């Protein structure tokens, strides 16, 4: 029963090597930087109306902002679990990766009790970096090699990233009830949108990634849902019904330049500054625009920064 609301979580840029005013630690090494928010144990958690800014890799992680990752640290907590977590009305920017949802062994091969039932919605992401910030620029790492990850929902997300959308790792049974709906995504062009995190043929996504997102979803998840999503610059292989366009202009985004959005709302008919309505207008399963509810996010975050 945790509630984390209306915080500005950030790393000062003077902690990052190469930035103006960079100040190393007393021994000359860079300051240790990890994520903004991580759960290794937590049940019934609300993470709402937070601004998360500036996260890069270089210590023990690769710059992800949020981690929902149950962990039996040093094999001392086999009953640890992360379940029933809601992440909503948040904004993330200037990071090397967005979110990790994974059930993984500890370094000593210890498993936890459970990880799942995550609702992630109305999330707005831009200004994502990759190798220059010692990261991969991915939207989400999704993995399960201990207790099976289950019941994960991404709904009404808007995310412009430089790497893959979903990097998947699963060496056991397929993960049940994985859902991606009503969301607007733009991925980088160097790698497929759905990729394997590695591990060779043992990973469900190893062969499937060559065939595209639908093949990865089928190989790694059971009872999955991928509906009413708008993809910018997709390479193909998407589930039927996915709206795929060639550019931000074709997607009808009001303002997006070089992965930074001053106004990520979709164009409606007769919107000033727009030549035509977005194909995502009123196209979500609930009749709303595809993507995050930007007005609701801005209202939730008013006065936070």
């Amino acid at each position: 029963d945790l509630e984390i609301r209306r915080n500005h979580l950030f790393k000062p840029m003077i902690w990052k090597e190469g930035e103006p005013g960079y100040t190393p630690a007393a021994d000359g090494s860079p300051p240790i930087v990890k994520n903004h928010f991580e759960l290794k144990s937590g049940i019934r958690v609300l993470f709402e109306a937070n601004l998360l800014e500036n996260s890069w890799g270089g210590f023990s992680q690769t710059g992800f902002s949020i981690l929902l990752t149950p962990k039996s640290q040093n094999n001392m907590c086999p009953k640890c679990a992360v379940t029933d977590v809601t992440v909503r009305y948040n904004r993330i920017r200037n990071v090397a990766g967005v979110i990790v949802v994974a059930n993984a062994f500890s370094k000593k091969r210890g498993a936890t009790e459970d990880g799942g039932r995550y609702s992630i919605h109305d999330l707005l992401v831009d200004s994502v970096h990759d190798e220059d910030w010692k990261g991969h620029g991915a939207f989400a790492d999704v993995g399960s090699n201990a207790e099976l990850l289950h019941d994960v929902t991404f709904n009404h997300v808007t995310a412009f990233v430089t790497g893959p959308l979903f990097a998947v790792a699963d060496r056991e049974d397929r993960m049940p009830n994985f859902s991606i709906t009503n969301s607007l995504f733009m991925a980088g062009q160097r790698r497929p949108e759905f990729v394997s995190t590695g591990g060779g043929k043992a990973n469900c996504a190893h062969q499937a990634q060559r065939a595209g997102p639908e093949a990865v979803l089928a190989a790694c998840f059971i009872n999955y849902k991928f509906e009413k999503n708008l993809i910018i610059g997709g390479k193909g292989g998407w589930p039927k019904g996915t709206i795929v366009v060639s550019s931000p202009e074709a997607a009808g985004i009001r303002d997006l330049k070089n992965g930074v959005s001053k106004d990520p709302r979709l164009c409606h008919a007769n919107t000033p500054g727009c030549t035509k309505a977005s194909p995502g207008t009123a196209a979500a399963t609930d009749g709303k625009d595809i993507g995050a509810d930007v007005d609701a996010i801005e209202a939730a975050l008013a006065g936070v920064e």
Side-chain angles (χ1 to χ4, degrees), residues 126-127 160 186 248-249 253-262:
D126 69 351
S127 301
F160 311 113
M186 183 174 72
E249 292 74 21
I253 300 171
R254 297 190 200 182
D255 191 305
L256 175 66
K257 295 179 181 178
N258 299 319
V260 180
S261 180
K262 293 182 180 179

Side-chain angles (χ1 to χ4, degrees), residues 101-103 140-146 148-149 166-173 175 195-199 202-206 216 220-221:
V101 287
N103 296 348
D141 264 18
V142 181
S144 184
N145 62 13
L148 200 61
L149 180 70
F166 291 87
V168 184
D170 184 15
R171 295 168 177 80
E172 302 293 339
D173 296 330
M175 295 173 274
V195 299
S196 166
T197 58
N203 192 339
C204 63
H206 176 71
V216 174
C220 298
F221 303 97

Side-chain angles (χ1 to χ4, degrees), residues 126-183:
D126 69 351
S127 301
V128 175
H129 309 268
D130 45 63
E131 294 176 359
D132 57 329
W133 280 42
K134 298 182 180 179
H136 307 294
F139 173 70
D141 264 18
V142 181
S144 184
N145 62 13
E147 290 300 314
L148 200 61
L149 180 70
H150 61 92
D151 300 284
V152 176
T153 298
F154 293 93
N155 186 42
H156 280 292
V157 171
T158 295
F160 311 113
V161 302
T162 55
L165 297 179
F166 291 87
V168 184
D170 184 15
R171 295 168 177 80
E172 302 293 339
D173 296 330
R174 289 182 293 170
M175 295 173 274
N177 305 325
F178 185 75
S179 177
I180 307 167
T181 55
N182 303 321
S183 293

Side-chain angles (χ1 to χ4, degrees), residues 191-229:
R191 301 176 66 191
E193 290 93 350
F194 279 59
V195 299
S196 166
T197 58
K201 294 181 180 180
N203 192 339
C204 63
H206 176 71
Q207 295 289 346
Q209 64 184 337
R210 301 177 184 179
E214 186 171 25
V216 174
L217 287 164
C220 298
F221 303 97
I222 189 169
N223 297 329
Y224 71 85
K225 183 184 291 186
F226 192 93
E227 294 180 356
K228 300 293 184 179
N229 298 299

Side-chain angles (χ1 to χ4, degrees), residues 16 33-36 52-58 61-66 92-100 125-141 161-164:
K16 186 177 183 298
V33 170
K34 293 181 71 176
N35 51 75
H36 293 116
L52 291 71
E53 192 172 24
N54 306 341
S55 183
W56 54 91
Q61 297 177 4
T62 55
F64 279 93
S65 180
I66 296 175
I92 299 176
R93 64 190 182 202
N94 266 349
V95 296
V98 181
I99 188 167
V100 179
V125 180
D126 69 351
S127 301
V128 175
H129 309 268
D130 45 63
E131 294 176 359
D132 57 329
W133 280 42
K134 298 182 180 179
H136 307 294
F139 173 70
D141 264 18
V161 302
T162 55

Side-chain angles (χ1 to χ4, degrees), residues 7 53 99 189 213 294:
N7 302 282
E53 192 172 24
I99 188 167
Q189 297 299 306
V294 179

